Amino acid sequence: QYLIDRSLMRPRFLLNLISQCKSFAINLNHDRILEEDIEKGLTAYSTDLLADIGYEINDVENRMDDVLYAFIGSNSIIKLNDINETLSDYGVENSHIQKITNLLLWYGFIGVIIEGEAKYIYDLNYSMKLLAGIIKKKGDVEYLINPAFWPSLMIDG
């Protein structure tokens, strides 16, 4: 479940993550995948994931493929003001911040904390309307950066 939770519910990403963990186990001559192999595999996977999602964002919004790097060292739980400020400090124009925030939600980079549990777009059947409705109804929402990105962005959980 730990690995599945970090796959953004994409089978290809889950296979990549398992492959990274397996590679570390093989390279370190382990008979089976150990916890340390999972930790190292997750770090390598996280770096690849950061690039992959960055490319996907760039396909939708040109010149924004590195926007995820704006969150290096961020807190894992953030408010909308924090997201806006982080993006603004990174050079995203104010007129694009809402669109980028929506892309971060769409690609599962950030989720919404509901009753103590993070819900990402894939938990809501990729319904942006449902996610937007939850955000609007709840008001002062807390967001969680997906744990899959924590190792590559040096985020402590």
Side-chain angles (χ1 to χ4, degrees):
Q1 189 61 48
Y2 180 84
L3 298 179
I4 291 170
D5 288 344
R6 282 148 181 80
S7 71
L8 307 184
M9 295 303 150
R10 295 185 185 187
R12 174 175 53 99
F13 288 168
L14 179 60
L15 293 174
N16 290 347
L17 176 53
I18 292 169
S19 178
Q20 291 281 8
C21 296
K22 182 180 171 187
S23 292
F24 279 100
I26 290 169
N27 289 337
L28 297 172
N29 293 321
H30 296 152
D31 292 334
R32 59 189 181 107
I33 297 174
L34 303 176
E35 187 176 326
E36 68 184 81
D37 303 319
I38 292 172
E39 187 176 313
K40 290 175 182 177
L42 181 58
T43 299
Y45 161 79
S46 182
T47 302
D48 291 345
L49 182 64
L50 195 63
D52 286 348
I53 297 299
Y55 295 142
E56 290 184 30
I57 289 173
N58 190 56
D59 286 346
V60 176
E61 188 68 26
N62 288 335
R63 301 181 321 266
M64 288 293 147
D65 61 326
D66 65 344
V67 75
L68 301 179
Y69 294 96
F71 294 90
I72 291 173
S74 292
N75 293 323
S76 57
I77 297 174
I78 53 179
K79 296 275 195 172
L80 184 58
N81 278 353
D82 301 324
I83 294 169
N84 294 342
E85 187 176 315
T86 298
L87 293 173
S88 180
D89 290 348
Y90 201 69
V92 176
E93 295 175 22
N94 287 340
S95 61
H96 285 81
I97 288 177
Q98 181 62 49
K99 184 172 185 178
I100 297 301
T101 302
N102 286 340
L103 288 173
L104 297 177
L105 287 163
W106 175 254
Y107 285 105
F109 178 78
I110 54 175
V112 178
I113 298 176
I114 303 169
E115 297 177 10
E117 186 178 335
K119 295 290 183 185
Y120 296 94
I121 189 75
Y122 47 78
D123 295 317
L124 303 170
N125 296 317
Y126 286 91
S127 172
M128 278 301 287
K129 287 183 179 183
L130 181 56
L131 188 54
I134 290 169
I135 292 168
K136 187 175 183 176
K137 182 172 179 155
K138 189 164 181 189
D140 190 28
V141 176
E142 288 187 320
Y143 297 86
L144 180 69
I145 296 176
N146 195 308
F149 295 95
W150 294 0
S152 59
L153 292 176
M154 297 171 271
I155 294 172
D156 292 328

